[in-house]
Amino acid sequence: MNDQLTELPIRELLDRLATSDPVPGGGSAAALAGAMGAALIQMVVALSTGRPAAAEHENALAAIRDEAVSAQSDLLRLSEVDAAAYNAVVQARRLPRDSERERQSRDIQVAHATREATMTPLETATRAGRVLALAERLAPLANPHAISDVGVAALLAASSIRGAGLNVRINLPFLPDDDPLRPEADSQLTDLLSPLDARERAVRVAVEARLG
C-alpha cells in the first residue's frame, strides 16, 4: 500500500479517508483543503497575468503566485506529517501498561506524540491563514472570468483553518497540565479564529461584487 497521501489518486485517497482507520483523518483532510485553495490561487494568477488590465499589477501577482506555491508545498507536507503524528498517538496508546515502569514509559510517549499531533494542525491553521490572505489580496486583481475561483480558494482556506483548529482542540485536553503548549495553542487559535468570519465575509463580498 502506498503510504504517501500526496501520491495517491484522488479516488484512493477518498477511499482511505472513508475507512474505519483513523489515519488519515480530519487533520490531513484540513491540510489538503488548504493546499487546494493555494493551487486555485496559482491558477487564477496564471489566468490574470499578461492581461492588459493587470499590467500594473504584474509584480503583485507574481508575489501572490510565489507565496501560493510555498503554501501549497507546506500544506501538502503537513497532510503527511499530520497522519504520521496521529498514527504515533495511536501506537503510543497501545503500549503495555501492566507494570509501573511500563505505565510511566507509555505516559511519556503518549504525551510526546500528542504534543506533535497538536502542533501539526496548529501549523496547518497558520499556513491556511496565509492562503486566505492571498485570496484577500488577489480578489481585486484577478481576471473577472476567474473571480469565482478566488472565492472557492477562500472557502477552502477558511475550512482548512477551522478543521485544523478542531484537531488542535481535541488534543489539548490530553496534554500534561503544565505543558506550555496548552495556553500557547489556545492563544494562537483565538488569533486565527476570532477574525475568520469577518475575513471570509470580506472576500465573499469582494468576489460577489466582481461577479456582476
Side-chain angles (χ1 to χ4, degrees):
M1 180 184 292
N2 188 343
D3 290 329
Q4 295 295 308
L5 299 181
T6 54
E7 300 298 324
L8 295 176
I10 291 294
R11 185 178 296 278
E12 187 175 345
L13 172 62
L14 294 178
D15 287 344
R16 288 275 297 275
L17 285 169
T19 70
S20 60
D21 190 338
V23 180
S28 293
L32 291 171
M36 286 193 291
L40 281 175
I41 294 291
Q42 294 167 64
M43 184 193 76
V44 175
V45 169
L47 292 171
S48 304
T49 301
R51 298 174 64 252
E56 64 183 298
H57 304 302
E58 292 293 328
N59 289 339
L61 289 169
I64 291 171
R65 178 200 60 220
D66 291 346
E67 291 177 47
V69 169
S70 178
Q72 179 184 326
S73 177
D74 287 340
L75 286 159
L76 285 174
R77 173 183 58 81
L78 286 164
S79 72
E80 302 281 9
V81 173
D82 191 276
Y86 192 68
N87 187 58
V89 173
V90 172
Q91 297 306 315
R93 288 175 177 169
R94 291 174 178 170
L95 289 172
R97 45 182 168 176
D98 296 326
S99 68
E100 182 61 27
R101 184 173 181 178
E102 286 178 341
R103 283 193 292 273
Q104 290 177 356
S105 176
R106 177 185 178 276
D107 288 347
I108 290 171
Q109 292 190 56
V110 167
H112 177 74
T114 302
R115 198 172 208 279
E116 292 299 314
T118 304
M119 292 174 63
T120 300
L122 186 59
E123 184 178 356
T124 293
T126 300
R127 303 291 183 189
R130 294 174 186 174
V131 176
L132 181 57
L134 295 177
E136 292 168 333
R137 287 159 55 188
L138 183 57
L141 311 178
N143 182 332
H145 298 295
I147 191 64
S148 60
D149 296 295
V150 179
V152 175
L155 290 170
L156 286 166
S159 293
S160 180
I161 296 168
R162 291 191 176 95
L166 291 174
N167 279 269
V168 173
R169 289 176 56 197
I170 200 169
N171 286 318
L172 283 178
F174 297 98
L175 291 173
D177 291 340
D178 60 349
D179 192 323
L181 183 57
R182 274 176 171 260
E184 289 171 9
D186 189 61
S187 176
Q188 288 183 51
L189 270 187
T190 298
D191 290 343
L192 286 164
L193 294 173
S194 293
L196 186 54
D197 286 344
R199 292 179 67 193
E200 189 177 8
R201 183 167 55 251
V203 177
R204 186 169 65 249
V205 168
V207 167
E208 289 177 350
R210 299 196 64 204
L211 282 172

